[in-house]
Amino acid sequence: MSTPVAIRATEIVLPGAVEPSGLEVRTRDLPAPDKGQVLLRMDATGVSFAEQQMRRGKYYDQPAFPFVPGYDVVGTVTATGPGVDAELTGRRFAAVTKVGAWASHLLIDAAELTPVPDGMDAATAETVVVNGITAWQMLHRMAKVRAGGTVVVLGANGGVGSILAQLARHAGITVIGTASARHHASVRELGAIPVDYHDPDMYDQIREIAPDGVDAVFDHVGGPGLAQSWRLLRRGGTLVSYGTAATKNEEGSSQLPVLKLFAQLVAWNSTPNGRSAHFYNFWAGRRRRTEWQRRLTQDLTEVLRLVANGVLTPQIAAQIPLRDAASALALAESRTVIGKVILVPGA
């Protein structure tokens, strides 16, 4: 066990359902790592769609206000608690936290750490933690699309979409990616065929590209367009829904859109049509925590290997100091960026 050192952590607090400018900065003393824990110095964390929903109180199963957001983190171990190998100190790891990562330092269970390859930049690794795991599991564990297939990725310029498009192309799959026209060049660089999601005839354009239907549609939007995504599938195809972005600005219960979505997916699956519909839940199976963590670590390790080998090119939209998290969140919500907005420690 390394010698505990008192650390004063800087944290970004979400005090309630506020605009990005309503985020608060606070400092507090962290206790020494407890049994099985490490103290992690944040090297990079990110702004995901989850935080955009959380600040509206719209993320399914989010904690009560106030809390520190931050879905994932890349950091360096600076101290270890009882029962943890002191050799971890000084090494860089990635972890999924769901909340709490928007902080200069945080305490985390050592079992939740995944090693980051030596020499990999923290911001580069951060772009593919929760986004990379999500994309990998949806493509390879849920849809199981084979080489030669065709898929549709809604929002192919986004954090998950850009990784999903690259993973699919690497697997020999044709990718049709939706994005606004200004991002089409970037979508082509990912190896995807771009379609303008502002075009009212978007789904007709996709049918022209894939007249026999597609093997999978990855839809984070939900809402009325989900039925259109379902109709794009060929027999044997899979719809993977992983969000309800279409309802993010609606007032009312954060659970209602998700429950409506579940009901629709169940209805489609109960119809004998040779297609299947699934909702991807990152946290599914966590009750069997050891197995869930093993799968997560395995998938993230594979994604990080692909980054290290140059197969995946992480899309970093911007790197912004932690204390300026309000502007980082506003930028991420502007829908003008490609990839992920990254928070770094700052001066």
Side-chain angles (χ1 to χ4, degrees), residues 174-192:
T174 298
V175 180
I176 302 168
T178 73
S180 62
R182 66 176 176 272
H183 294 316
H184 281 192
S186 298
V187 171
R188 289 190 186 94
E189 289 177 6
L190 298 174

Side-chain angles (χ1 to χ4, degrees), residues 150-154 176-178 193-196 201-214 217 228-229 232:
T150 300
V151 302
V152 174
V153 177
L154 300 190
I176 302 168
T178 73
I193 303 166
V195 175
D196 188 353
D201 298 322
M202 180 186 83
Y203 288 96
D204 290 334
Q205 291 184 38
I206 294 173
R207 290 187 186 92
E208 289 179 8
I209 298 169
D212 296 326
V214 300
V217 180
Q228 294 272 32
S229 292
L232 291 175

